[in-house]
Every structure is written in structure tokens, then in C-alpha cells.
Tab-separated table of all heavy atoms in Angstrom:
chain	number	residue	atom	x	y	z
A	213	TYR	N	0.802	-1.176	-0.011
A	213	TYR	CA	-0.037	-0.026	-0.031
A	213	TYR	C	0.842	1.280	-0.001
A	213	TYR	O	0.454	2.251	-0.456
A	213	TYR	CB	-0.964	0.036	1.227
A	213	TYR	CG	-0.289	-0.087	2.515
A	213	TYR	CD1	0.147	1.048	3.198
A	213	TYR	CD2	-0.161	-1.281	3.163
A	213	TYR	CE1	0.742	0.946	4.450
A	213	TYR	CE2	0.386	-1.410	4.441
A	213	TYR	CZ	0.878	-0.310	5.074
A	213	TYR	OH	1.437	-0.379	6.258
A	214	VAL	N	2.063	1.159	0.540
A	214	VAL	CA	2.945	2.330	0.487
A	214	VAL	C	3.477	2.479	-0.961
A	214	VAL	O	3.540	3.600	-1.417
A	214	VAL	CB	4.145	2.099	1.478
A	214	VAL	CG1	5.191	3.231	1.313
A	214	VAL	CG2	3.644	2.087	2.914
A	215	THR	N	3.810	1.376	-1.576
A	215	THR	CA	4.224	1.446	-2.955
A	215	THR	C	3.123	2.025	-3.848
A	215	THR	O	3.400	2.868	-4.775
A	215	THR	CB	4.594	0.040	-3.469
A	215	THR	OG1	5.613	-0.491	-2.646
A	215	THR	CG2	5.077	0.106	-4.909
A	216	MET	N	1.837	1.643	-3.590
A	216	MET	CA	0.698	2.183	-4.309
A	216	MET	C	0.603	3.634	-4.152
A	216	MET	O	0.345	4.373	-5.055
A	216	MET	CB	-0.560	1.476	-3.933
A	216	MET	CG	-1.785	1.911	-4.738
A	216	MET	SD	-1.753	1.659	-6.457
A	216	MET	CE	-1.729	-0.121	-6.496
A	217	ALA	N	0.796	4.132	-2.869
A	217	ALA	CA	0.734	5.551	-2.615
A	217	ALA	C	1.808	6.327	-3.369
A	217	ALA	O	1.562	7.434	-3.818
A	217	ALA	CB	0.849	5.809	-1.149
A	218	ARG	N	3.004	5.739	-3.448
A	218	ARG	CA	4.090	6.377	-4.213
A	218	ARG	C	3.722	6.453	-5.699
A	218	ARG	O	3.969	7.474	-6.347
A	218	ARG	CB	5.410	5.589	-3.992
A	218	ARG	CG	6.051	5.777	-2.648
A	218	ARG	CD	7.288	4.946	-2.600
A	218	ARG	NE	8.022	5.187	-1.351
A	218	ARG	CZ	9.086	4.467	-1.007
A	218	ARG	NH1	9.578	3.459	-1.881
A	218	ARG	NH2	9.702	4.704	0.101
A	219	LEU	N	3.134	5.335	-6.212
A	219	LEU	CA	2.749	5.354	-7.617
A	219	LEU	C	1.749	6.374	-7.927
A	219	LEU	O	1.607	6.851	-9.110
A	219	LEU	CB	2.353	3.949	-8.045
A	219	LEU	CG	3.368	2.861	-8.048
A	219	LEU	CD1	2.808	1.501	-8.329
A	219	LEU	CD2	4.511	3.175	-9.081
A	220	LYS	N	0.881	6.640	-6.961
A	220	LYS	CA	-0.175	7.709	-7.201
A	220	LYS	C	0.340	9.106	-7.075
A	220	LYS	O	-0.413	10.039	-7.236
A	220	LYS	CB	-1.270	7.494	-6.150
A	220	LYS	CG	-2.136	6.304	-6.376
A	220	LYS	CD	-3.245	6.154	-5.338
A	220	LYS	CE	-4.156	4.954	-5.649
A	220	LYS	NZ	-5.235	4.850	-4.632
A	221	GLY	N	1.669	9.276	-6.762
A	221	GLY	CA	2.316	10.552	-6.769
A	221	GLY	C	2.341	11.238	-5.426
A	221	GLY	O	2.696	12.463	-5.351
A	222	ALA	N	2.051	10.505	-4.350
A	222	ALA	CA	2.124	11.120	-2.994
A	222	ALA	C	3.628	11.434	-2.663
A	222	ALA	O	4.572	10.694	-3.051
A	222	ALA	CB	1.543	10.188	-1.975
A	223	SER	N	3.817	12.581	-1.964
A	223	SER	CA	5.167	12.924	-1.614
A	223	SER	C	5.682	11.959	-0.547
A	223	SER	O	4.966	11.258	0.156
A	223	SER	CB	5.202	14.321	-1.090
A	223	SER	OG	4.443	14.465	0.194
A	224	ARG	N	7.032	12.017	-0.440
A	224	ARG	CA	7.664	11.018	0.549
A	224	ARG	C	7.238	11.366	1.928
A	224	ARG	O	6.971	10.429	2.749
A	224	ARG	CB	9.175	11.113	0.483
A	224	ARG	CG	9.724	10.458	-0.814
A	224	ARG	CD	11.275	10.499	-0.800
A	224	ARG	NE	11.869	9.811	0.330
A	224	ARG	CZ	12.097	8.506	0.454
A	224	ARG	NH1	11.772	7.758	-0.624
A	224	ARG	NH2	12.633	7.960	1.473
A	225	TRP	N	7.102	12.620	2.276
A	225	TRP	CA	6.718	13.068	3.675
A	225	TRP	C	5.316	12.568	3.959
A	225	TRP	O	4.965	12.070	4.983
A	225	TRP	CB	6.809	14.517	3.867
A	225	TRP	CG	6.417	14.993	5.211
A	225	TRP	CD1	5.313	15.734	5.582
A	225	TRP	CD2	7.158	14.750	6.394
A	225	TRP	NE1	5.237	15.948	6.906
A	225	TRP	CE2	6.376	15.362	7.475
A	225	TRP	CE3	8.319	14.111	6.716
A	225	TRP	CZ2	6.791	15.316	8.824
A	225	TRP	CZ3	8.721	14.072	8.109
A	225	TRP	CH2	7.959	14.669	9.103
A	226	ARG	N	4.382	12.683	2.910
A	226	ARG	CA	2.962	12.289	3.101
A	226	ARG	C	2.905	10.711	3.221
A	226	ARG	O	2.154	10.231	3.996
A	226	ARG	CB	2.151	12.767	1.926
A	226	ARG	CG	0.621	12.376	2.016
A	226	ARG	CD	-0.182	12.856	0.866
A	226	ARG	NE	-1.496	12.453	0.965
A	226	ARG	CZ	-2.440	13.117	1.703
A	226	ARG	NH1	-2.155	14.208	2.401
A	226	ARG	NH2	-3.713	12.695	1.779
A	227	VAL	N	3.704	10.037	2.462
A	227	VAL	CA	3.721	8.584	2.495
A	227	VAL	C	4.188	8.115	3.901
A	227	VAL	O	3.604	7.214	4.517
A	227	VAL	CB	4.690	8.000	1.437
A	227	VAL	CG1	4.971	6.535	1.685
A	227	VAL	CG2	4.117	8.205	0.037
A	228	VAL	N	5.229	8.783	4.450
A	228	VAL	CA	5.734	8.365	5.799
A	228	VAL	C	4.729	8.740	6.821
A	228	VAL	O	4.447	7.884	7.698
A	228	VAL	CB	7.057	9.103	6.021
A	228	VAL	CG1	7.521	8.906	7.480
A	228	VAL	CG2	8.190	8.585	5.156
A	229	THR	N	4.160	9.963	6.879
A	229	THR	CA	3.298	10.381	7.978
A	229	THR	C	1.919	9.831	7.911
A	229	THR	O	1.258	9.551	8.910
A	229	THR	CB	3.309	11.953	8.079
A	229	THR	OG1	2.812	12.425	6.802
A	229	THR	CG2	4.664	12.483	8.346
A	230	ARG	N	1.396	9.680	6.720
A	230	ARG	CA	-0.039	9.275	6.518
A	230	ARG	C	-0.262	7.850	6.273
A	230	ARG	O	-1.325	7.224	6.594
A	230	ARG	CB	-0.700	9.989	5.309
A	230	ARG	CG	-0.752	11.530	5.523
A	230	ARG	CD	-1.671	11.946	6.590
A	230	ARG	NE	-3.040	11.523	6.306
A	230	ARG	CZ	-3.962	12.251	5.604
A	230	ARG	NH1	-3.595	13.433	5.089
A	230	ARG	NH2	-5.168	11.742	5.432
A	231	HIS	N	0.741	7.091	5.803
A	231	HIS	CA	0.584	5.690	5.502
A	231	HIS	C	1.526	4.821	6.294
A	231	HIS	O	1.116	3.741	6.851
A	231	HIS	CB	0.888	5.457	3.989
A	231	HIS	CG	-0.057	6.143	3.053
A	231	HIS	ND1	-1.329	5.717	2.788
A	231	HIS	CD2	0.104	7.355	2.413
A	231	HIS	CE1	-1.936	6.620	1.973
A	231	HIS	NE2	-1.104	7.567	1.716
A	232	ALA	N	2.796	5.180	6.415
A	232	ALA	CA	3.730	4.283	7.162
A	232	ALA	C	3.660	4.462	8.626
A	232	ALA	O	3.511	3.428	9.382
A	232	ALA	CB	5.142	4.582	6.712
A	233	LEU	N	3.598	5.643	9.139
A	233	LEU	CA	3.651	5.861	10.599
A	233	LEU	C	2.434	5.228	11.315
A	233	LEU	O	2.640	4.549	12.356
A	233	LEU	CB	3.719	7.388	10.898
A	233	LEU	CG	3.829	7.691	12.350
A	233	LEU	CD1	5.012	7.063	13.038
A	233	LEU	CD2	3.851	9.247	12.601
A	234	PRO	N	1.169	5.439	10.831
A	234	PRO	CA	0.065	4.829	11.572
A	234	PRO	C	0.184	3.312	11.671
A	234	PRO	O	-0.311	2.742	12.691
A	234	PRO	CB	-1.167	5.194	10.742
A	234	PRO	CG	-0.755	6.481	10.057
A	234	PRO	CD	0.732	6.316	9.731
A	235	ASN	N	0.786	2.680	10.710
A	235	ASN	CA	0.880	1.239	10.773
A	235	ASN	C	2.132	0.797	11.526
A	235	ASN	O	2.420	-0.457	11.647
A	235	ASN	CB	0.895	0.660	9.310
A	235	ASN	CG	-0.462	0.774	8.699
A	235	ASN	OD1	-1.340	-0.012	8.862
A	235	ASN	ND2	-0.598	1.766	7.835
A	236	ALA	N	2.952	1.697	11.871
A	236	ALA	CA	4.209	1.350	12.645
A	236	ALA	C	4.071	1.757	14.116
A	236	ALA	O	5.007	1.794	14.869
A	236	ALA	CB	5.407	2.063	12.053
A	237	VAL	N	2.822	2.150	14.504
A	237	VAL	CA	2.603	2.626	15.879
A	237	VAL	C	2.883	1.612	16.916
A	237	VAL	O	3.494	1.938	17.965
A	237	VAL	CB	1.188	3.209	15.999
A	237	VAL	CG1	0.793	3.393	17.461
A	237	VAL	CG2	1.026	4.512	15.270
A	238	ALA	N	2.513	0.339	16.685
A	238	ALA	CA	2.615	-0.675	17.729
A	238	ALA	C	4.017	-0.855	18.232
A	238	ALA	O	4.250	-0.748	19.490
A	238	ALA	CB	2.085	-1.997	17.190
A	239	PRO	N	5.081	-1.089	17.425
A	239	PRO	CA	6.387	-1.248	17.960
A	239	PRO	C	6.943	0.058	18.572
A	239	PRO	O	7.696	0.066	19.508
A	239	PRO	CB	7.266	-1.662	16.771
A	239	PRO	CG	6.435	-1.275	15.572
A	239	PRO	CD	5.035	-1.369	15.970
A	240	ILE	N	6.524	1.181	17.955
A	240	ILE	CA	6.966	2.479	18.507
A	240	ILE	C	6.401	2.690	19.911
A	240	ILE	O	7.142	3.099	20.823
A	240	ILE	CB	6.591	3.631	17.608
A	240	ILE	CG1	7.276	3.486	16.242
A	240	ILE	CG2	6.893	4.978	18.181
A	240	ILE	CD1	6.897	4.493	15.199
A	241	VAL	N	5.107	2.445	20.122
A	241	VAL	CA	4.499	2.560	21.417
A	241	VAL	C	5.122	1.647	22.414
A	241	VAL	O	5.439	2.055	23.533
A	241	VAL	CB	2.990	2.294	21.314
A	241	VAL	CG1	2.341	2.180	22.674
A	241	VAL	CG2	2.236	3.442	20.528
A	242	ASN	N	5.458	0.443	21.956
A	242	ASN	CA	6.102	-0.500	22.922
A	242	ASN	C	7.481	0.029	23.392
A	242	ASN	O	7.753	0.010	24.655
A	242	ASN	CB	6.313	-1.840	22.263
A	242	ASN	CG	5.133	-2.745	22.514
A	242	ASN	OD1	4.839	-3.096	23.690
A	242	ASN	ND2	4.473	-3.233	21.472
A	243	VAL	N	8.253	0.507	22.481
A	243	VAL	CA	9.605	0.978	22.898
A	243	VAL	C	9.491	2.266	23.699
A	243	VAL	O	10.352	2.504	24.619
A	243	VAL	CB	10.571	1.159	21.647
A	243	VAL	CG1	10.188	2.394	20.836
A	243	VAL	CG2	12.013	1.143	22.110
A	244	VAL	N	8.576	3.161	23.352
A	244	VAL	CA	8.344	4.397	24.142
A	244	VAL	C	7.950	4.050	25.525
A	244	VAL	O	8.443	4.542	26.542
A	244	VAL	CB	7.269	5.289	23.455
A	244	VAL	CG1	6.847	6.348	24.386
A	244	VAL	CG2	7.870	5.874	22.157
A	245	ALA	N	6.989	3.055	25.709
A	245	ALA	CA	6.482	2.690	27.067
A	245	ALA	C	7.685	2.067	27.879
A	245	ALA	O	7.821	2.319	29.061
A	245	ALA	CB	5.356	1.757	26.955
A	246	LEU	N	8.407	1.221	27.184
A	246	LEU	CA	9.524	0.557	27.882
A	246	LEU	C	10.581	1.607	28.353
A	246	LEU	O	11.131	1.452	29.460
A	246	LEU	CB	10.202	-0.431	26.986
A	246	LEU	CG	9.444	-1.752	26.780
A	246	LEU	CD1	10.091	-2.648	25.749
A	246	LEU	CD2	9.255	-2.522	28.061
A	247	ASN	N	10.844	2.576	27.566
A	247	ASN	CA	11.831	3.582	27.887
A	247	ASN	C	11.288	4.590	28.957
A	247	ASN	O	12.043	5.057	29.826
A	247	ASN	CB	12.281	4.380	26.671
A	247	ASN	CG	13.352	3.724	25.862
A	247	ASN	OD1	14.523	3.769	26.166
A	247	ASN	ND2	12.879	2.962	24.876
A	248	ILE	N	10.007	4.826	28.973
A	248	ILE	CA	9.380	5.638	30.053
A	248	ILE	C	9.468	4.824	31.330
A	248	ILE	O	9.716	5.363	32.460
A	248	ILE	CB	7.962	5.998	29.695
A	248	ILE	CG1	7.933	7.002	28.556
A	248	ILE	CG2	7.265	6.556	30.888
A	248	ILE	CD1	6.525	7.414	28.085
A	249	ALA	N	9.218	3.477	31.258
A	249	ALA	CA	9.326	2.636	32.451
A	249	ALA	C	10.793	2.689	32.957
A	249	ALA	O	10.984	2.806	34.125
A	249	ALA	CB	8.965	1.220	32.102
A	250	TRP	N	11.722	2.731	32.042
A	250	TRP	CA	13.135	2.801	32.484
A	250	TRP	C	13.438	4.130	33.112
A	250	TRP	O	14.197	4.244	34.094
A	250	TRP	CB	14.054	2.571	31.300
A	250	TRP	CG	15.527	2.631	31.738
A	250	TRP	CD1	16.281	1.598	32.174
A	250	TRP	CD2	16.403	3.762	31.778
A	250	TRP	NE1	17.546	2.032	32.510
A	250	TRP	CE2	17.628	3.373	32.247
A	250	TRP	CE3	16.206	5.149	31.479
A	250	TRP	CZ2	18.692	4.212	32.457
A	250	TRP	CZ3	17.210	6.005	31.605
A	250	TRP	CH2	18.464	5.584	32.051
A	251	LEU	N	12.824	5.222	32.563
A	251	LEU	CA	12.984	6.537	33.160
A	251	LEU	C	12.608	6.548	34.605
A	251	LEU	O	13.211	7.285	35.417
A	251	LEU	CB	12.181	7.570	32.408
A	251	LEU	CG	12.640	8.010	31.020
A	251	LEU	CD1	11.667	8.909	30.343
A	251	LEU	CD2	14.043	8.642	31.111
A	252	ILE	N	11.518	5.783	34.926
A	252	ILE	CA	11.076	5.856	36.391
A	252	ILE	C	11.881	4.864	37.160
A	252	ILE	O	12.245	5.084	38.372
A	252	ILE	CB	9.562	5.478	36.421
A	252	ILE	CG1	8.839	6.532	35.628
A	252	ILE	CG2	9.054	5.393	37.773
A	252	ILE	CD1	7.335	6.201	35.486
């Protein structure tokens, strides 16, 4: 779906923020929570 968005002419920033980032939230949230736990 990211490749399709690129073929439709979407900019790289739009592809990253609107298509890639929402689907990469799970591992990011996990590492953020683990690091916040480490902060405490």
C-alpha cells in the first residue's frame, strides 16, 4: 500500500506520515513505554 501511494504521486513526507507511521505505531508505542518505564 505504500508502494501504491508512491505510484499515485504522493510525496515522501505524506507517505511516511499518513501511510507508514500509523501502521508502525505498535512497535513504537512499545519501545516508548519501555523507555518511560526505564525513566522511572
Side-chain angles (χ1 to χ4, degrees):
Y213 57 86
V214 174
T215 304
M216 181 62 68
R218 285 179 176 174
L219 292 175
K220 289 182 177 180
S223 65
R224 286 182 61 84
W225 181 252
R226 183 178 177 84
V227 168
V228 169
T229 57
R230 296 293 298 274
H231 299 279
L233 182 59
N235 290 281
V237 164
I240 294 173
V241 167
N242 267 301
V243 76
V244 166
L246 288 174
N247 279 276
I248 291 177
W250 183 88
L251 284 175
I252 298 173

